[in-house]
Amino acid sequence: MFSERLKLSRKRSGLSLHALSSEMDNIASAQAIGKYERAEMMPSSTVAIALADALDVTPSYLLSPSSISLESVKFRKLSSTRARERAAVEADVLDQVDRYLQVEEILGIDTTEQDVPEGAPYRVSEMEDAEDAAASLRAAWNLGSVPIQNLTELLEARGVKVLKLHLPERVDGLNCRVHRLDGDDVPVVVCSTGKSVERQRFTIAHELGHLVLDIPSTISEEKAYHRFAGAFLAPQGELIRAVGRRRNNFGLDELIDTKRMFGISAAALVIRMRDLGIIKEGTQRAIFRGIGNNWRTEEPHPLNRKELPKRFRRLCRRALAENEISDSKAAELLRLRVSDIDGFMIGSTS
């Protein structure tokens, strides 16, 4: 409904009621906008157009029905995330998932089709259970023990919406479920475009852990999710085959080759080897004091590939090609100008 779309768009823009009123040259007061958001009154067509212009959305978007909401939102580094930043991120997530679900509905795709493996959520009573859960999920998804080439595409194929957004510096990622009034909840994981590909992959695997693990309060959640992410990206057997069962030291070139093999950050790789007993605590400290003294802030020799979520744009191209949507509807879904749609179809728009 209009009130929900208006509030969503305003939060996504990071504007207060007074700031939005100012952006639209005070055509509507902050008090009036508040009433629109509370569904206490509806704006005139002139005011609705001004609101849409100020929020950089179309009037039809504001007037479209919306029946989704966020449930169980979990931010990494929650304590240092400001309330306004959280609100803007949550609004952006809702907006993107809403458009995603719209094109799926237009094409008649079953948005409830999620590949939830038997036995999930996996109960974690000790850290080794997180390791076992990663192995169980890999087995359920027929991944074997080889490195995952594109984690984003894998999760999208399994029914998880993967979003990559410009997040505040202090936010690595988040996970949530989008609740729909007329359907099953939709699992969503989000990571920051401001991080390296390696960090993005680890964040996605970490957030996947939130969706498939059942962790009691007696266990450190973050450590369990980290253990799951490391095991999912770098399975024990394959990693041991690559580097050996016991090591006392590593050179930089070997570490770089190994982290590229598994698509995992250098720091996460070292911690993973410590968790598996390949190296001892003292060796880990020595690596971080020496060649890895700045790895937590700057990824060494980062991967030069990208893992972009492509399914949504692929579905929009399909809907356009089949004349299921008009150019103007495609522009609304994709947040493009109508004049850019021809370029989008032939690939000149990324």
Side-chain angles (χ1 to χ4, degrees):
M1 57 192 302
F2 180 87
S3 60
E4 294 171 346
R5 290 293 180 98
L6 175 60
K7 185 185 297 184
L8 172 66
S9 299
R10 180 177 64 79
K11 287 184 175 180
R12 187 171 64 87
S13 298
L15 297 174
S16 66
L17 293 173
H18 287 283
L20 176 54
S21 176
S22 178
E23 283 289 321
M24 53 189 298
D25 296 327
N26 299 307
I27 292 175
S29 67
Q31 292 78 9
I33 297 172
K35 290 182 178 180
Y36 302 151
E37 291 189 355
R38 295 189 297 272
E40 295 175 359
M41 58 186 289
M42 282 291 292
S44 67
S45 58
T46 300
V47 173
I49 291 171
L51 285 166
D53 286 343
L55 293 169
D56 195 26
V57 298
T58 64
S60 61
Y61 170 79
L62 287 181
L63 294 168
S64 296
S66 177
S67 58
I68 66 174
S69 61
L70 289 189
E71 304 286 343
S72 305
V73 185
K74 296 179 181 177
F75 280 75
R76 290 183 69 186
K77 301 184 180 179
L78 173 64
S79 61
S80 62
T81 309
R82 299 188 183 97
R84 179 171 289 186
E85 291 175 333
R86 283 171 51 86
V89 170
E90 289 178 6
D92 204 2
V93 170
L94 264 179
D95 173 57
Q96 294 212 25
V97 175
D98 185 28
R99 290 183 281 123
Y100 206 141
L101 295 178
Q102 282 187 57
V103 74
E104 286 185 332
E105 183 176 352
I106 289 168
L107 292 171
I109 295 173
D110 184 4
T111 59
T112 66
E113 195 172 292
Q114 300 158 24
D115 195 350
V116 179
E118 185 177 352
Y122 303 105
R123 181 71 172 179
V124 176
S125 299
E126 56 186 13
M127 284 301 159
E128 285 302 318
D129 293 336
E131 185 90 21
D132 294 341
S136 295
L137 184 58
R138 273 181 159 267
W141 285 354
N142 298 313
L143 301 179
S145 61
V146 298
I148 298 169
Q149 293 303 308
N150 192 316
L151 185 60
T152 298
E153 285 189 356
L154 170 67
L155 264 63
E156 288 201 308
R158 300 293 177 173
V160 179
K161 299 291 186 282
V162 180
L163 306 181
K164 298 195 175 184
L165 308 178
H166 179 68
L167 299 178
E169 177 62 29
R170 58 180 59 84
V171 179
D172 281 346
L174 66 109
N175 70 87
C176 61
R177 291 187 179 272
V178 172
H179 176 67
R180 298 184 299 159
L181 296 179
D182 55 352
D184 293 341
D185 291 354
V186 179
V188 179
V189 299
V190 183
C191 70
S192 173
T193 57
K195 310 298 182 182
S196 68
V197 173
E198 294 92 333
R199 285 279 295 276
Q200 290 180 25
R201 283 169 57 91
F202 195 86
T203 293
I204 291 171
H206 175 106
E207 303 304 338
L208 175 62
H210 280 267
L211 300 177
V212 300
L213 299 184
D214 175 18
I215 303 177
S217 58
T218 54
I219 299 292
S220 169
E221 285 194 1
E222 286 301 294
K223 287 184 179 179
Y225 293 134
H226 274 58
R227 184 66 178 268
F228 171 86
F232 194 70
L233 291 172
Q236 178 174 352
E238 197 70 16
L239 181 56
I240 289 174
R241 275 191 289 274
V243 302
R245 174 67 271 186
R246 293 283 187 274
R247 294 292 299 271
N248 294 316
N249 200 2
F250 277 92
L252 177 61
D253 286 348
E254 183 185 1
L255 282 172
I256 297 303
D257 286 345
T258 306
K259 74 125 186 173
R260 285 177 169 171
M261 179 189 307
F262 292 99
I264 192 171
S265 73
L269 172 63
V270 172
I271 292 171
R272 175 73 177 140
M273 292 192 294
R274 180 210 62 194
D275 287 342
L276 294 177
I278 295 173
I279 62 175
K280 295 181 179 179
E281 190 83 29
T283 303
Q284 175 197 303
R285 290 196 298 269
I287 291 172
F288 284 147
R289 282 198 306 267
I291 58 177
N293 61 356
N294 65 339
W295 287 354
R296 296 185 184 278
T297 57
E298 184 177 345
E299 182 64 31
H301 302 276
L303 296 172
N304 58 11
R305 69 175 189 260
K306 294 183 179 180
E307 294 188 12
L308 300 176
K310 297 179 179 179
R311 184 172 178 269
F312 168 69
R313 297 173 74 84
R314 190 163 61 241
L315 292 179
C316 288
R317 285 191 171 96
R318 172 179 161 186
L320 263 173
E322 296 296 321
N323 294 317
E324 295 286 349
I325 58 175
S326 64
D327 286 2
S328 60
K329 180 62 177 178
E332 178 183 309
L333 290 173
L334 292 159
R335 292 286 183 264
L336 297 173
R337 297 186 299 269
V338 174
S339 59
D340 291 331
I341 294 303
D342 284 344
F344 169 77
M345 285 298 288
I346 64 176
S348 62
T349 301
S350 61

